[in-house]
């Protein structure tokens, strides 16, 4: 909220400079945004948190300053002389919707002379950012900026039937606002109507038909309390935000309405002349907020703040803030039996403008912020506490280490993606993706079920930028719907590479090896949307599906507009992290010599390496230490069609004794026999 | 075939062929590569030539020129390889090695700067005794608002300020008139809750929340779902299933509607810290944040509190640290509001606690001198490569 420095000083005998004042206000709860010179005045912008509507007027800010400097604050009495007939004889007020408007106060002034405001008033309004209109409208704004209570002035002569009816809008009702635009209203919105039609939108905006204009001579001054929620909804729905709706949304001081109304009338009489009708139309339909006293145990102050604050300072601060101390405890209270407690306890009734203070802890905050948090030490001993890294974090950092060592770059992409992405690629779920009501980014309202489309989109953006070496990965959650529960949010590792299928598979295998050395995992051919059927596999670990790997087919490349070979893989991390070997266990290494043999086998084309390796391993039994794939050749002229040569290396080692060359040759021979038997393999001599 | 596709294929051909020729170690390997790429009958060059014929006539001239150039380049690579293999070189002498030649570099990847910042935060907070917990990003209104003392009329709950899901509310929360849920719905019987200290387990999924006397609404409450707007939700989930003492941090993605610009993005990351025990005071909060800021910035810094307002802490403050003769906003903090302690079943007369939260992006951008938040999410490899891991 912007305040005028000169205006603020009206209420205080202040010797401190503006800089000093804004600094201390910032340190007690009103953050300083900026100070801008405005003529001989300063426009000071202060941030008022949503719990402090009492500071949305100069008087509220002045009260804070008065408390900080422990000086008195001077508030105008606001006693306008009335000389006209009883207001009851001139106008009527009725509230039909107490849930939207709990109190409505009206005063009537006749014989005003509409003119431009005097320069002091116009200047002050301009300093706080309001354009002057005419003396009466300006005064209602001035009083709002003075005490925080929004006011509205009607051209009383334009109110049909000379009556005010506060009611809910009728569906489809049209309202011509002061900005001369027509708004279509809905039930739940609060309108101020005369006998025939709506003349204002309660708490939000005045209407064009009853606007105070140069010809106006009679004024009805409205000071009311509108429901915060309804004002907020109305302002939002119609996109009609005003300083008035801003204050009603945060809640106004119902007990301050009358002062605001009187103050407004006093200034109108002073600056626009006229005659105030006697009395006030005060319709109060809502339940009054009963302000409960709050017990403050002084021992709670160090318990929460870690510092002691002197009893007299506590009393002084709260009383200066407008709290009323209740000194005499009622007879028979607990305090008589426990005199120590009585000494520890103070009781206060908070002021009506502080609806945010209802509990002991709230009073502690009041005392603390005025005392200043600089007094809270920043070097007290904090008890020691053992902390552990979670398995999840340990596994994740190991995975990231391997994948970055493989030259891949980590990305962070948005969790919410275009619907087409989730529809065209659903590797983990058959349920439709969940959607947000509003898109996160343009066109993106589907909660992603896979990281791959996001990575492909990042790949395309990089290609379009002419970048090279686009090796991307991400570790993040995906969102899989479950009936009647929060969705499943498994962590995924997604990769998108320009490498070949086998190269990316090698990275994936390294990740698995690093998480669980020696783990039994296997791949099997699979089909996935947008992946080449001959180059797509699923990974199984402990008989659970833990991921897939594949090469994008031409439809996939077209769908995501990527050029060149694209391989992708996605691993479901929970399957891995549940069984990670975090602390590797030692196995003794043999010091006996090893014997190496290479085998070059001619096998029929469809023979899978994994089958061949499994057979060889089981045939060689415990003598075989390691089997390594070397190369595949094809020579149809010598080996015939549909045959391939698979070159592999074997390393043999005994666990107890040195193996002989004959033993190893015999083992190789039996391996070759088994391969011939099961795969029609032939050894190249 | 479009010109663009033809050129991509041509490029792939010349890269692969050149690489194959250069890496051939023997005459046989070189010949095999020659057949594969330049073979007159089935070499790739042949199929490319065919592709040339399919390029639209008006683009064929350009395609032809590019084709000839690529073919010449590949042939030159072949001849160079042939020469290299055929050449009977003299034995290499010890001083042949030009020690100023570049060695083959390893191509390393690296972590995203946000991950690196998060890792640093976890590391520092870990040393201060805070364990990491994870929680769901898709939340119900109870955990995102109600349990955090954010009442239905609070502006923070406005649908326009949150990402609610269009999915129908999932199930209902039956709460009896006394505020206690029926026993069959209470997922965590009291005995099952942890009694001792130590860090809580990571919280991945927790079923329906427990009703709490005096705090939760009465009746049957549909749980509409939303993307969480703050990581404070994890506080609630941890406290619901763990007895004090609790010293945790939670980090992760949060979502708030915002127009995208240099400092705003509708998805960002937060770190939230929580310490609940007997005797925790604001002095502990200030001391922990002081230690944290000094660790993060590498030298002892001053820290200050300014009063602020958050529904789930009371008193609430903004914490600043002093940096280059100015104060830098660091995050929000405060003492856990007694209402929040009550709503998870703690007695605020017995325990107190503090909580703090800060935006990861802001720390990350300050740390690395990044000016535009959008750069963090564009994932341009030239950007990503800059953040060599520390």
């Amino acid at each position: 909220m912007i305040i005028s420095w000169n205006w603020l000083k009206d209420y205080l005998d202040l010797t401190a400079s503006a800089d000093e004042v804004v600094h201390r206000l910032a340190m007690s709860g009103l953050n300083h945004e900026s100070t801008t010179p405005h003529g001989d005045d300063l426009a000071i912008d202060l941030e008022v948190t949503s719990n402090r509507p009492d500071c949305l007027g100069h008087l509220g800010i002045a009260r804070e300053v008065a408390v900080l400097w422990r000086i008195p604050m001077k508030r105008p009495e606001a006693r306008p002389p009335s000389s006209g007939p009883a207001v009851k004889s001139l106008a009527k007020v009725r509230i039909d919707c107490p849930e939207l408007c709990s109190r409505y106060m009206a005063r009537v002034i006749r014989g005003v002379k509409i003119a431009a405001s005097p320069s002091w008033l116009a200047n002050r309004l301009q300093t706080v950012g309001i354009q002057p209109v005419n003396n009466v409208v300006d005064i209602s704004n001035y009083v709002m900026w003075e005490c925080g209570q929004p006011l509205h002035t009607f051209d009383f002569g334009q109110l049909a039937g000379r009556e005010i009816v506060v009611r809910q809008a009728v569906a489809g009702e049209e309202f011509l606002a002061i900005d001369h635009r027509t708004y279509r209203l809905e039930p739940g919105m609060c309108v101020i109507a005369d006998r025939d039609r709506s003349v204002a939108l309660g708490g939000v905006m005045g209407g064009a038909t009853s606007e105070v204009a140069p010809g106006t001579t009679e004024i009805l001054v409205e000071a009311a309390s509108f429901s915060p929620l309804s004002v907020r909804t109305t302002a939002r729905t119609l996109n009609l935000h005003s300083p008035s709706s801003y204050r009603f949304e945060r809640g106004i001081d119902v007990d301050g309405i009358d002062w605001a109304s009187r103050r407004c009338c006093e200034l109108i009489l002073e600056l626009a002349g006229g005659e105030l009708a006697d009395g006030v139309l005060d319709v109060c339909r809502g339940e009054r907020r009963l302000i409960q006293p709050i017990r403050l145990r002084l021992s709670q102050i160090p318990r929460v703040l870690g510092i002691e604050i002197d009893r007299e300072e506590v009393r002084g601060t709260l009383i200066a803030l407008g709290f009323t101390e209740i000194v005499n405890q009622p007879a028979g209270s607990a305090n008589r039996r426990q005199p120590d407690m009585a000494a520890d306890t103070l009781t206060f009734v908070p002021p009506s403008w502080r609806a945010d203070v209802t509990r002991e802890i709230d009073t502690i905050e009041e005392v603390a912020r005025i005392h200043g948090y600089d007094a809270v030490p920043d070097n007290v001993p904090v008890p020691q506490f053992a902390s552990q890294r979670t398995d999840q974090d340990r596994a994740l950092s190991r995975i990231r280490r391997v994948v970055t060592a493989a030259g891949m770059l980590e990305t962070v992409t948005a969790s919410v993606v275009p619907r087409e992405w989730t529809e065209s690629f659903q590797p983990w779920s058959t349920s439709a993706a969940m959607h947000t009501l509003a898109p996160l980014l343009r066109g993106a309202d589907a909660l992603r079920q896979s990281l791959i489309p996001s990575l492909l989109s990042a790949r395309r953006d990089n290609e379009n930028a002419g970048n090279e070496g686009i090796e991307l990965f991400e570790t993040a959650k995906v969102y899989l719907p479950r009936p009647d529960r929060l969705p499943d949010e498994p962590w995924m590792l997604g990769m998108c590479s320009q490498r070949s299928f086998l190269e990316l598979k090698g990275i994936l295998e390294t990740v698995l090896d690093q998480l669980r050395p020696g783990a039994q995992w296997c791949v099997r051919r699979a089909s996935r949307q947008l992946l080449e059927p001959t180059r797509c596999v699923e990974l199984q670990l402990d008989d659970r599906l833990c991921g897939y790997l594949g090469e994008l087919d031409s439809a996939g490349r077209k769908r995501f507009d990527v050029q060149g070979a694209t391989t992708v893989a996605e691993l479901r991390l929970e399957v891995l992290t549940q069984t990670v070997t975090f602390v590797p266990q030692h196995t003794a290494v043999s010091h006996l010599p090893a014997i190496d043999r290479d085998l070059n086998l001619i096998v029929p084309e469809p023979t899978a390496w994994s089958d061949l390796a499994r057979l060889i391993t089981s045939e060689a039994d415990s003598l075989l230490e390691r089997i390594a794939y070397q190369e595949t050749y094809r020579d149809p002229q010598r080996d015939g069609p549909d045959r391939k040569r698979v070159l592999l290396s074997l390393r043999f080692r005994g666990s107890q004794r040195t193996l002989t060359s004959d033993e190893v040759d015999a083992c190789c021979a039996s391996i070759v026999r088994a391969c011939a038997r099961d795969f029609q393999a032939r050894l190249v001599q | 075939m479009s010109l663009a596709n033809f050129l991509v294929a041509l490029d792939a051909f010349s890269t692969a062929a050149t690489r194959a020729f250069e890496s051939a170690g023997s005459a046989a390997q070189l010949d095999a590569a020659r057949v594969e790429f330049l073979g007159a009958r089935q070499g790739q060059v042949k199929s490319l030539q065919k592709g040339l014929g399919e390029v639209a006539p008006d683009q064929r001239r350009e395609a032809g020129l590019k084709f000839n150039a690529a073919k010449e380049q590949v042939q030159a690579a072949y001849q160079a390889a042939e020469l290299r293999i055929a050449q009977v070189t003299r034995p290499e002498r010890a001083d042949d090695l030009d020690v100023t030649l570049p060695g083959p570099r390893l191509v390393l990847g690296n972590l995203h700067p946000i991950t690196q910042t998060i890792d640093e935060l976890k590391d520092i907070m870990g040393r201060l005794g805070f364990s990491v917990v994870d929680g769901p990003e898709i939340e119900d209104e109870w955990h995102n608002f109600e349990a955090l003392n954010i009442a239905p009329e609070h502006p923070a709950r406005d649908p326009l300020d949150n990402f609610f899901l269009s999915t129908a509310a999932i199930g209902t929360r039956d709460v009896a008139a006394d505020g206690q849920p029926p026993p069959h719905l209470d997922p965590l019987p009291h005995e099952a809750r942890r009694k001792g200290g130590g860090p809580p387990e990571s919280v991945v999924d927790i079923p329906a929340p427990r009703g709490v006397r005096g705090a939760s609404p009465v009746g049957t409450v549909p749980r509409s779902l939303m993307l969480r707007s703050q990581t404070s939700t994890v506080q609630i989930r941890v406290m619901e299933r763990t007895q004090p003492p609790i010293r945790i941090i939670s980090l992760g993605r949060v979502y708030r509607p915002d127009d995208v610009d240099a400092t705003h993005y509708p998805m960002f990351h937060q770190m939230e810290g929580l310490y609940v025990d007997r005797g925790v005071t604001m002095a502990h909060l200030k001391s922990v944040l002081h230690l944290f800021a000094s660790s993060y910035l590498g030298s002892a810094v001053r820290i200050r509190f300014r009063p602020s307002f958050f529904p789930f802490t009371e008193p609430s403050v903004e914490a600043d640290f002093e940096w280059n003769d100015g104060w830098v906003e660091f995050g929000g903090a405060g003492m856990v509001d007694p209402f929040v302690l009550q709503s998870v079943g703690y007695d605020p007369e017995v325990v107190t606690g503090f909580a703090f939260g800060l935006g990861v992006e802001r720390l990350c951008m300050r740390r690395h001198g990044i000016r535009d938040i959008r750069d963090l999410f564009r994932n341009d490899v030239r950007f990503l490569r800059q953040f060599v891991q520390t």
Side-chain angles (χ1 to χ4, degrees):
Chain A
M1 190 191 75
I2 299 171
I3 59 163
S4 142
W5 172 242
N6 289 342
W7 189 347
L8 182 72
K9 286 191 295 182
D10 274 2
Y11 310 115
L12 300 161
D13 287 322
L14 201 56
T15 50
S17 72
D19 283 348
E20 252 179 283
V21 169
V22 295
H23 173 72
R24 293 215 44 194
L25 285 175
M27 297 308 290
S28 62
L30 292 163
N31 203 17
H32 178 227
E33 301 277 3
S34 64
T35 298
T36 323
H38 194 275
D40 65 345
D41 201 355
L42 296 174
I44 302 173
D45 192 356
L46 300 173
E47 185 195 337
V48 179
T49 51
S50 64
N51 60 325
R52 293 297 305 276
D54 62 298
C55 285
L56 294 175
H58 282 73
L59 278 168
I61 309 281
R63 185 179 302 110
E64 292 283 304
V65 177
V67 174
L68 290 168
W69 265 267
R70 288 288 201 267
I71 52 175
M73 181 184 82
K74 299 171 285 185
R75 187 173 83 144
E77 277 298 313
R79 298 271 171 224
S82 60
S83 47
V87 68
K88 281 191 190 103
S89 65
L90 300 175
K92 277 186 294 189
V93 171
R94 193 174 85 225
I95 299 178
D96 287 349
C97 53
E99 69 286 0
L100 302 183
C101 173
S102 59
R103 188 175 191 188
Y104 195 102
M105 247 183 194
R107 284 186 164 86
V108 172
I109 302 174
R110 297 189 301 173
V112 297
K113 200 166 177 310
I114 304 300
S117 291
S119 61
W120 68 265
L121 175 54
N123 282 342
R124 284 190 174 182
L125 288 182
Q126 279 167 333
T127 301
V128 303
I130 302 170
Q131 278 317 305
V133 180
N134 59 45
N135 48 8
V136 169
V137 172
D138 293 349
I139 287 164
S140 66
N141 280 327
Y142 183 84
V143 176
M144 165 156 60
W145 250 264
E146 184 172 41
C147 66
Q149 167 69 43
L151 298 151
H152 187 66
T153 47
F154 294 96
D155 183 333
F156 187 47
Q158 300 299 321
L159 296 181
R162 306 222 149 205
E163 64 178 70
I164 290 282
V165 178
V166 187
R167 59 163 170 84
Q168 271 201 49
V170 181
E173 179 171 359
E174 287 189 339
F175 167 67
L176 182 63
I178 217 160
D179 60 5
H180 291 274
R181 290 175 52 194
T182 302
Y183 294 87
R184 193 171 264 284
L185 309 183
E186 296 165 14
M189 296 178 173
C190 180
V191 296
I192 313 299
D194 61 13
R195 189 190 61 208
D196 302 335
R197 57 172 187 249
S198 50
V199 292
L201 206 45
V204 177
M205 190 158 282
T209 53
S210 57
E211 186 182 354
V212 173
T216 305
T217 56
E218 298 176 320
I219 303 287
L220 182 137
V221 177
E222 163 196 294
S225 169
F226 297 105
S227 142
L229 198 54
S230 143
V231 168
R232 175 152 54 90
T233 315
T234 306
R236 275 265 165 136
T237 311
L238 303 177
N239 197 20
L240 258 181
H241 299 275
S242 62
S244 160
S245 68
Y246 187 84
R247 283 162 177 77
F248 280 119
E249 282 173 38
R250 281 156 184 76
I252 49 101
D253 173 17
V254 180
D255 290 358
I257 293 176
D258 187 40
W259 184 89
S261 168
R262 292 188 334 251
R263 174 71 171 153
C264 185
C265 293
E266 176 179 72
L267 288 173
I268 291 173
L269 294 179
E270 197 178 303
L271 301 177
E275 183 179 74
L276 174 64
D278 191 40
V280 59
L281 294 169
D282 182 5
V283 182
C284 195
R285 289 280 311 271
E287 264 177 52
R288 291 293 295 276
R289 186 171 70 91
L290 198 63
I291 303 178
Q292 299 286 352
I294 301 171
R295 228 162 45 102
L296 169 59
R297 294 163 294 171
L298 293 169
S299 59
Q300 290 296 304
I301 291 174
R303 180 170 177 260
V304 173
L305 303 178
I307 53 168
E308 306 267 353
I309 297 178
D310 175 70
R311 179 192 175 96
E312 284 317 300
E313 184 185 335
V314 171
R315 289 184 63 240
T317 296
L318 291 174
I319 290 166
L321 281 168
F323 288 68
T324 313
E325 188 177 8
I326 299 179
V327 181
N328 292 322
Q329 294 296 326
S333 77
N335 297 335
R336 184 177 283 180
R337 272 169 278 131
Q338 292 170 291
D340 291 352
M341 207 174 141
D344 178 47
T345 304
L346 300 171
T347 306
F348 295 94
V349 177
S352 62
W353 57 84
R354 291 301 302 272
D356 60 314
V357 180
T358 57
R359 305 167 302 168
E360 181 180 50
I361 192 72
D362 302 328
T363 61
I364 292 173
E365 178 169 47
E366 287 307 297
V367 170
R369 69 179 184 87
I370 299 298
H371 185 75
Y373 290 113
D374 282 350
V376 175
D378 63 5
N379 58 356
V380 301
V382 181
Q384 297 271 344
F385 223 76
S387 70
Q388 273 108 34
R389 290 184 75 195
T390 59
D391 289 355
Q392 160 91 2
D393 270 352
R394 295 206 287 174
L396 262 177
S397 72
R398 198 178 284 186
I399 289 165
R400 289 176 174 142
R401 209 163 58 221
V402 176
V403 180
T404 52
M408 305 196 79
L409 296 162
E410 192 190 29
T411 61
V412 174
T413 60
S415 324
V416 186
V417 300
R419 272 175 205 231
E420 307 89 78
W421 295 7
T422 53
E423 282 159 10
S424 62
F425 194 71
Q426 275 200 298
W428 298 107
S429 173
T430 50
S431 312
M434 292 176 290
H435 298 113
T436 51
L437 287 173
L440 184 86
L441 297 162
R442 191 194 303 248
D445 68 350
L447 272 75
R448 65 177 168 182
Q449 298 191 340
S450 164
L451 308 182
I452 299 303
S454 309
L455 290 172
L456 287 170
S457 164
R459 156 82 174 256
R460 180 198 53 222
D461 293 348
N462 274 288
E463 282 181 355
N464 290 346
N467 293 337
E468 288 170 345
I470 313 166
E471 299 290 325
L472 306 174
F473 81 100
E474 179 168 20
T475 46
K477 291 173 167 188
V478 300
Y479 313 90
L480 310 177
R482 291 186 292 201
D484 241 22
R485 294 175 71 185
L486 288 182
D488 192 15
E489 296 183 13
W491 279 86
M492 296 285 174
L493 162 66
M495 295 194 275
C496 173
S497 172
Q498 294 176 309
R499 298 172 211 228
S500 71
F501 177 85
L502 283 182
E503 283 173 316
L504 187 63
K505 184 162 182 261
I507 296 174
L508 214 55
E509 289 170 350
T510 311
V511 169
L512 292 169
D513 278 347
Q514 289 286 311
L515 287 177
R516 272 176 70 184
Q520 293 299 309
W521 44 264
C522 63
V523 298
R524 63 170 188 220
R525 281 187 190 279
S527 73
R528 287 282 188 284
Q529 291 156 290
L530 307 182
L531 299 183
E532 194 70 62
T534 56
R535 284 178 164 75
C536 176
V537 292
E538 281 179 357
L539 263 92
Q540 301 266 336
L541 186 70
D542 305 333
D543 295 327
R544 291 174 70 189
L545 176 66
C546 83
Y548 63 91
L549 160 74
E551 192 173 311
L552 217 57
D553 63 13
S554 58
R557 284 202 297 274
K558 201 170 162 198
R559 179 78 201 68
F560 289 95
D561 197 17
V562 294
Q563 309 288 326
T566 308
T567 43
V568 297
E570 193 166 36
L571 278 188
R572 191 167 176 141
L573 295 184
E574 63 189 1
V575 180
L576 299 176
T577 53
Q578 282 163 4
T579 51
V580 177
T581 313
F582 284 114
V583 185
Q585 298 300 304
H586 167 247
T587 7
V589 292
S590 168
H591 297 289
L592 298 168
I595 297 180
D596 292 332
R597 290 285 184 271
D598 285 354
L599 294 182
N600 195 351
L601 296 172
I602 302 170
V603 293
E605 196 59 72
T607 309
W609 163 257
S610 57
D611 296 336
L612 204 56
R614 196 179 310 117
L615 177 68
I616 292 170
T617 310
S618 74
E619 195 61 33
D621 203 23
S622 62
L623 298 186
L624 183 65
E625 184 180 85
R626 196 183 68 199
I627 175 170
Y629 167 79
Q630 298 291 356
E631 246 175 315
T632 301
Y633 290 105
R634 288 180 177 84
D635 190 344
Q637 279 169 4
R638 271 193 288 172
D639 303 337
D642 302 326
R643 288 286 185 281
K644 61 185 174 187
R645 294 181 175 207
V646 177
L647 179 64
L648 54 97
S649 301
L650 304 172
R651 167 163 283 195
F652 296 90
R653 202 196 303 261
S655 55
Q656 304 295 325
R657 57 180 181 83
T658 305
L659 298 180
T660 67
S661 177
D662 287 349
E663 262 179 298
V664 170
D665 288 342
C667 184
C668 282
S670 85
I671 288 171
V672 171
R673 272 197 305 278
C675 292
R677 182 189 67 222
D678 289 8
F679 299 114
Q680 296 92 49
R682 197 154 53 81
L683 184 69
V684 179
Q685 294 298 338
Chain B
M1 186 183 264
S2 74
L3 179 63
N5 285 345
F6 176 76
L7 292 180
V8 168
L10 191 63
D11 192 47
F13 162 73
S14 68
T15 311
T18 308
R19 195 187 297 148
F21 294 151
E22 281 170 357
S23 63
S26 66
Q29 282 177 15
L30 181 62
D31 197 50
R34 184 191 57 78
V35 170
E36 185 184 347
F37 291 105
L38 294 172
R41 240 180 287 159
Q42 294 197 314
Q44 288 188 15
V45 71
K46 206 70 200 159
S47 54
L48 269 175
Q49 212 158 8
K50 230 176 274 169
L52 181 58
E54 292 162 19
V55 174
D58 57 324
Q59 296 178 319
R60 202 170 297 153
R61 189 185 133 73
E62 190 190 346
L65 287 174
K66 291 260 165 66
F67 174 78
N68 286 338
K71 195 174 159 188
E72 266 168 41
Q73 185 212 324
V74 169
Q75 270 163 347
Y78 172 72
Q79 278 153 13
E82 204 176 24
L83 207 64
R84 172 172 57 81
I85 288 167
Q87 216 170 40
V88 183
T89 51
R90 65 177 167 75
E92 196 174 296
R93 287 198 309 248
D95 60 357
D96 279 350
L97 176 67
D98 177 358
V99 294
T100 67
L101 284 176
R105 301 284 176 93
L106 297 179
V107 179
L108 296 176
N110 43 247
L111 295 183
H112 195 280
I114 289 178
T115 306
Q116 294 193 36
T117 307
I118 286 177
D119 283 351
E120 173 90 9
L121 299 179
K122 285 179 177 171
D123 184 44
I124 294 171
M125 294 312 294
R127 279 183 261 138
L128 295 173
F130 287 76
S131 296
V132 176
V133 293
D134 192 19
E137 290 176 23
I138 297 171
E139 269 294 3
D140 51 44
E141 291 189 274
W142 164 261
H143 289 93
N144 200 76
F145 295 129
E146 273 145 68
L148 289 164
N149 196 25
I150 305 174
E153 66 275 7
H154 194 277
R157 294 185 69 155
D158 194 296
L160 294 174
D161 290 329
N162 294 284
F163 286 113
F164 282 96
L165 300 193
S166 58
T167 324
I170 53 144
T172 54
R173 222 156 57 80
D174 290 327
V175 181
D178 65 356
Q180 292 292 327
H184 68 276
L185 273 184
D186 191 345
L188 290 167
H190 211 76
E191 310 78 71
R193 299 169 72 196
R194 291 165 61 94
K195 292 287 194 285
E201 311 122 65
S202 100
V203 183
V204 174
D205 171 53
I206 294 165
R210 302 177 311 112
V212 174
R213 195 186 311 259
S216 56
V218 170
T220 299
V221 184
R223 303 164 65 204
S224 25
L225 297 183
M226 59 185 298
L227 292 174
R228 68 179 174 193
S229 62
Q230 55 207 2
T231 41
S232 314
T233 55
V234 184
Q235 279 186 27
I236 302 299
R237 290 190 174 274
V238 171
M239 289 193 285
E240 278 175 340
R241 54 185 252 159
T242 316
Q243 284 298 304
I246 285 177
R247 213 190 276 192
I248 53 152
I249 50 169
S250 63
L251 289 120
R253 297 182 178 207
V254 298
Y255 306 85
R256 287 179 203 171
D258 231 328
D259 291 331
V260 177
D261 62 24
T263 52
H264 296 90
Y265 205 76
M267 174 184 91
F268 54 101
H269 295 73
Q270 272 190 337
M271 176 173 88
E272 180 92 6
L274 174 73
Y275 176 25
V276 180
D277 200 353
R278 288 168 190 262
V280 177
T281 70
M282 216 149 179
H284 290 122
L285 168 62
K286 207 172 186 183
S287 301
V288 163
L289 291 181
H290 180 231
L291 290 171
F292 172 81
S294 301
S295 292
Y296 185 78
L297 297 164
S299 59
V301 291
R302 286 209 299 153
I303 189 153
R304 76 173 186 189
F305 282 174
R306 281 175 296 116
S308 188
F309 171 66
F310 308 106
F312 36 92
T313 49
E314 186 85 10
S316 302
V317 294
E318 293 284 349
D320 303 334
F321 58 82
E322 197 174 26
W323 187 250
N324 292 341
D325 300 328
W327 290 97
V328 177
E329 215 173 281
F330 167 87
M335 300 302 290
V336 180
D337 194 293
F339 174 92
V340 174
L341 295 175
Q342 258 163 5
S343 74
V344 298
Y346 292 178
D347 184 352
E349 290 292 309
V350 176
V351 293
T352 48
F354 69 66
F356 61 91
L358 51 90
V360 174
E361 274 75 3
R362 210 165 35 153
L363 286 179
C364 172
M365 289 167 74
R366 179 170 288 274
R367 181 181 164 89
H368 295 290
I370 299 167
R371 297 251 175 78
D372 191 324
I373 194 170
R374 290 168 291 197
D375 286 338
L376 290 171
F377 305 108
R378 274 195 193 111
N379 297 304
D380 188 301
V381 295
R382 292 166 299 171
F383 171 84
L384 298 174
R385 279 198 200 104
Q386 294 173 16
F387 305 99
V388 176
Q389 267 141 266
T390 46

